[in-house]
Amino acid sequence: MSRPLDQRRAKGNGPGHTLADKDDANARKQGAERAQLLAKMRRKVQGASDWVPGTVGDDVMTVHKVCDGAQLCGAVGAMDEWQRRVTCADCLDGQ
């Protein structure tokens, strides 16, 4: 004869339950691995090139390559950094 469901001890995230401790340990491990991977990806992306994409002045449709605050094509104006594909033909030719 089986035991009724209401008399079983609940497993879950209560204090002192093994399941909760195991889940917490796995979550900490995954968080640490995710942080290491993110740091590695940032180093790789930042070290890959010395330029960033950005728009100059009021023209937000043309994205230039900007290196140390200066555009490769010589465009003049205030620069805003964007995470978009470079579309300026002069900047692309200057590779």
Side-chain angles (χ1 to χ4, degrees):
M1 181 175 216
S2 64
R3 295 173 26 192
L5 293 176
D6 58 349
Q7 291 182 358
R8 285 190 186 172
R9 182 170 175 220
K11 294 181 183 178
N13 289 332
H17 290 155
T18 311
L19 183 63
D21 296 338
K22 184 178 177 183
D23 288 344
D24 290 344
N26 284 338
R28 283 192 299 272
K29 180 181 175 188
Q30 287 176 354
E33 290 173 351
R34 197 174 301 124
Q36 288 175 350
L37 181 61
L38 184 59
K40 184 178 177 181
M41 288 171 56
R42 281 190 181 134
R43 282 193 306 270
K44 192 170 191 172
V45 168
Q46 290 171 353
S49 64
D50 54 351
W51 61 270
V52 294
T55 58
V56 178
D58 292 334
D59 184 12
V60 294
M61 297 305 292
T62 305
V63 181
H64 302 271
K65 282 187 177 182
V66 180
C67 180
D68 297 327
Q71 293 74 20
L72 293 180
C73 65
V76 180
M79 194 274 296
D80 292 318
E81 186 176 332
W82 286 74
Q83 294 298 318
R84 291 174 39 194
R85 186 181 312 197
V86 174
T87 59
C88 175
D90 294 333
C91 289
L92 291 172
D93 290 340
Q95 290 181 353

